Coordinates of all heavy atoms in Angstrom, one line a residue:
A465 N -16.9 5.3 -24.8 CA -17.7 5.9 -25.8 C -17.5 5.2 -27.1 O -18.4 5.1 -28.0 CB -17.2 7.4 -26.0
I468 N -19.2 0.3 -28.8 CA -20.6 0.4 -29.0 C -21.3 -0.9 -28.7 O -22.5 -1.0 -28.4 CB -20.9 0.8 -30.5 CG1 -22.3 1.4 -30.6 CG2 -20.6 -0.3 -31.4 CD1 -22.5 2.1 -32.0
W473 N -23.5 1.1 -23.0 CA -23.0 2.1 -23.9 C -23.9 3.3 -24.0 O -23.5 4.4 -23.9 CB -22.7 1.5 -25.3 CG -22.3 2.5 -26.3 CD1 -21.0 3.0 -26.5 CD2 -23.1 3.1 -27.3 NE1 -21.0 3.9 -27.5 CE2 -22.2 4.0 -28.0 CE3 -24.4 3.1 -27.6 CZ2 -22.7 4.8 -29.0 CZ3 -24.9 3.9 -28.6 CH2 -24.1 4.7 -29.4
R474 N -25.2 3.0 -24.2 CA -26.2 4.1 -24.3 C -26.2 5.0 -23.1 O -26.3 6.2 -23.1 CB -27.6 3.6 -24.7 CG -27.7 3.1 -26.1 CD -29.1 2.9 -26.5 NE -29.8 1.8 -25.8 CZ -31.1 1.6 -25.7 NH1 -31.9 2.4 -26.4 NH2 -31.5 0.6 -25.1
I477 N -23.3 7.3 -23.1 CA -23.5 8.4 -24.0 C -24.3 9.5 -23.3 O -24.1 10.7 -23.4 CB -24.1 8.0 -25.3 CG1 -23.2 7.0 -26.0 CG2 -24.4 9.2 -26.2 CD1 -21.8 7.5 -26.3
K487 N -27.1 17.9 -25.8 CA -27.8 16.7 -26.2 C -27.0 16.0 -27.3 O -26.5 16.7 -28.2 CB -29.2 17.2 -26.8 CG -30.0 16.0 -27.3 CD -31.4 16.5 -27.7 CE -32.2 15.3 -28.3 NZ -32.4 14.2 -27.3
I488 N -26.9 14.7 -27.2 CA -26.1 14.0 -28.1 C -27.0 13.0 -28.9 O -27.5 12.0 -28.3 CB -25.0 13.2 -27.4 CG1 -24.0 14.2 -26.7 CG2 -24.2 12.3 -28.4 CD1 -22.9 13.5 -26.0
S489 N -27.3 13.4 -30.1 CA -28.2 12.5 -30.9 C -27.6 12.1 -32.2 O -28.2 11.3 -32.9 CB -29.5 13.3 -31.2 OG -29.3 14.6 -31.8
T490 N -26.4 12.6 -32.5 CA -25.7 12.2 -33.7 C -24.2 11.9 -33.4 O -23.7 12.3 -32.4 CB -25.8 13.3 -34.8 OG1 -25.0 14.5 -34.3 CG2 -27.2 13.8 -35.0
F491 N -23.6 11.3 -34.4 CA -22.1 11.0 -34.2 C -21.4 12.3 -34.1 O -20.4 12.5 -33.4 CB -21.7 10.2 -35.4 CG -20.2 9.7 -35.3 CD1 -19.8 9.1 -34.1 CD2 -19.4 9.8 -36.4 CE1 -18.4 8.7 -34.0 CE2 -18.1 9.4 -36.3 CZ -17.6 8.8 -35.1
S492 N -21.8 13.3 -34.9 CA -21.1 14.6 -34.9 C -21.3 15.3 -33.5 O -20.3 15.9 -33.0 CB -21.7 15.5 -35.9 OG -21.1 16.8 -35.9
D493 N -22.4 15.1 -32.8 CA -22.6 15.6 -31.5 C -21.6 15.0 -30.5 O -21.0 15.6 -29.7 CB -24.0 15.3 -31.0 CG -25.1 16.1 -31.7 OD1 -24.8 17.1 -32.3 OD2 -26.3 15.6 -31.7
L494 N -21.5 13.7 -30.7 CA -20.5 12.9 -29.8 C -19.1 13.4 -30.0 O -18.4 13.6 -29.0 CB -20.6 11.4 -30.0 CG -19.7 10.6 -29.2 CD1 -19.9 10.7 -27.7 CD2 -19.7 9.1 -29.6
L526 N -16.4 5.8 -43.5 CA -17.0 7.1 -43.7 C -17.7 7.6 -42.5 O -18.4 6.9 -41.8 CB -17.9 6.9 -44.9 CG -17.3 6.5 -46.3 CD1 -18.4 6.4 -47.3 CD2 -16.2 7.5 -46.7
F527 N -17.5 8.9 -42.3 CA -18.2 9.5 -41.2 C -19.7 9.4 -41.3 O -20.4 9.1 -40.2 CB -17.8 11.0 -41.2 CG -18.2 11.8 -39.9 CD1 -17.2 12.0 -38.9 CD2 -19.5 12.2 -39.7 CE1 -17.5 12.6 -37.7 CE2 -19.8 12.9 -38.5 CZ -18.8 13.1 -37.5
E528 N -20.3 9.5 -42.5 CA -21.7 9.4 -42.6 C -22.3 8.0 -42.3 O -23.4 7.9 -41.8 CB -22.2 9.9 -44.0 CG -21.5 9.2 -45.1 CD -20.3 10.0 -45.6 OE1 -19.6 10.7 -44.8 OE2 -20.1 10.0 -46.9
D529 N -21.4 7.0 -42.6 CA -21.8 5.6 -42.2 C -21.8 5.4 -40.7 O -22.7 4.8 -40.1 CB -20.9 4.6 -42.9 CG -21.1 4.5 -44.4 OD1 -22.2 4.9 -44.8 OD2 -20.2 4.1 -45.1
A530 N -20.8 6.0 -40.1 CA -20.7 5.9 -38.6 C -21.9 6.7 -38.0 O -22.4 6.2 -36.9 CB -19.4 6.5 -38.1
D531 N -22.3 7.8 -38.5 CA -23.4 8.5 -38.0 C -24.7 7.7 -38.1 O -25.5 7.7 -37.1 CB -23.6 9.8 -38.8 CG -24.7 10.7 -38.2 OD1 -24.7 11.0 -37.0 OD2 -25.7 10.9 -39.0
R532 N -24.9 7.1 -39.2 CA -26.1 6.2 -39.4 C -26.1 5.1 -38.3 O -27.2 4.8 -37.7 CB -26.1 5.6 -40.8 CG -27.3 4.6 -41.0 CD -27.2 4.1 -42.5 NE -25.9 3.6 -42.9 CZ -25.4 2.4 -42.5 NH1 -26.1 1.6 -41.8 NH2 -24.2 2.1 -42.9
I533 N -25.0 4.5 -38.1 CA -24.9 3.4 -37.2 C -25.1 3.9 -35.8 O -25.7 3.3 -34.9 CB -23.5 2.7 -37.4 CG1 -23.5 2.0 -38.7 CG2 -23.3 1.7 -36.2 CD1 -22.1 1.6 -39.2
F534 N -24.5 5.0 -35.5 CA -24.6 5.6 -34.1 C -26.1 5.9 -33.8 O -26.6 5.6 -32.7 CB -23.9 6.9 -34.1 CG -24.0 7.7 -32.8 CD1 -23.1 7.4 -31.7 CD2 -24.9 8.7 -32.6 CE1 -23.3 8.1 -30.5 CE2 -25.1 9.4 -31.4 CZ -24.2 9.1 -30.4
R535 N -26.8 6.4 -34.7 CA -28.3 6.7 -34.5 C -29.1 5.4 -34.3 O -29.9 5.4 -33.4 CB -28.8 7.5 -35.7 CG -28.3 8.9 -35.9 CD -28.8 9.4 -37.3 NE -28.2 10.7 -37.6 CZ -28.8 11.9 -37.5 NH1 -30.0 11.9 -36.9 NH2 -28.2 13.0 -37.8
R536 N -28.7 4.4 -35.0 CA -29.4 3.1 -34.9 C -29.1 2.6 -33.5 O -30.0 2.0 -32.8 CB -29.0 2.2 -35.9 CG -29.6 2.5 -37.3 CD -29.2 1.4 -38.3 NE -29.8 0.1 -37.8 CZ -29.2 -1.1 -38.0 NH1 -28.0 -1.2 -38.6 NH2 -29.8 -2.2 -37.5
A537 N -27.9 2.6 -33.1 CA -27.5 2.1 -31.8 C -28.2 2.8 -30.6 O -28.6 2.3 -29.6 CB -26.0 2.1 -31.6
L538 N -28.2 4.2 -30.8 CA -28.8 5.0 -29.8 C -30.3 4.7 -29.7 O -30.9 4.8 -28.6 CB -28.6 6.5 -30.1 CG -28.5 7.5 -29.0 CD1 -27.3 7.1 -28.0 CD2 -28.2 8.9 -29.5
A539 N -30.9 4.3 -30.8 CA -32.4 3.9 -30.7 C -32.6 2.5 -30.2 O -33.7 2.0 -30.2 CB -32.9 4.0 -32.1
G540 N -31.5 1.8 -29.9 CA -31.6 0.4 -29.4 C -31.7 -0.7 -30.4 O -32.0 -1.8 -30.1
E541 N -31.4 -0.4 -31.6 CA -31.4 -1.4 -32.7 C -30.2 -2.3 -32.6 O -29.1 -1.9 -32.2 CB -31.5 -0.7 -34.1 CG -32.8 0.1 -34.3 CD -32.8 0.7 -35.7 OE1 -32.2 0.1 -36.6 OE2 -33.4 1.8 -35.9
T542 N -30.3 -3.5 -33.1 CA -29.2 -4.5 -33.1 C -28.3 -4.2 -34.3 O -28.7 -4.0 -35.4 CB -29.7 -5.9 -33.1 OG1 -30.6 -6.1 -32.0 CG2 -28.6 -6.9 -33.1
L543 N -27.0 -4.2 -34.0 CA -26.0 -3.9 -35.1 C -25.3 -5.2 -35.5 O -25.1 -6.1 -34.7 CB -25.0 -2.9 -34.6 CG -25.5 -1.6 -34.1 CD1 -24.3 -0.7 -33.6 CD2 -26.3 -0.8 -35.1
E547 N -21.0 -3.3 -38.8 CA -21.4 -2.0 -38.4 C -20.7 -1.5 -37.2 O -20.3 -0.3 -37.1 CB -23.0 -2.0 -38.2 CG -23.8 -2.1 -39.5 CD -25.2 -2.2 -39.2 OE1 -25.6 -2.9 -38.3 OE2 -26.0 -1.6 -40.0
M548 N -20.5 -2.4 -36.2 CA -19.8 -2.0 -35.0 C -18.4 -1.6 -35.3 O -17.8 -0.7 -34.8 CB -19.9 -3.1 -34.0 CG -21.3 -3.3 -33.4 SD -21.4 -4.5 -32.0 CE -21.4 -6.0 -32.8
C550 N -17.3 -0.5 -38.1 CA -17.3 0.8 -38.8 C -17.4 2.0 -37.9 O -16.6 2.9 -38.0 CB -18.5 0.8 -39.8 SG -18.8 2.4 -40.6
Y551 N -18.3 1.9 -36.9 CA -18.5 3.0 -35.9 C -17.2 3.1 -35.1 O -16.7 4.3 -35.0 CB -19.6 2.7 -35.0 CG -19.6 3.6 -33.8 CD1 -20.0 4.9 -33.8 CD2 -19.1 3.1 -32.6 CE1 -19.9 5.7 -32.7 CE2 -19.0 3.9 -31.4 CZ -19.4 5.2 -31.5 OH -19.3 6.1 -30.4

Side-chain angles (χ1 to χ4, degrees):
I468 199 167
W473 175 82
R474 285 193 294 166
I477 299 302
K487 181 175 176 58
I488 297 179
S489 55
T490 68
F491 186 47
S492 182
D493 293 337
L494 176 63
L526 298 178
F527 193 97
E528 51 266 33
D529 289 338
D531 181 62
R532 173 180 51 80
I533 294 163
F534 177 86
R535 291 169 187 263
R536 289 187 58 216
L538 212 56
E541 296 182 30
T542 300
L543 304 179
E547 287 174 322
M548 289 187 280
C550 173
Y551 165 80

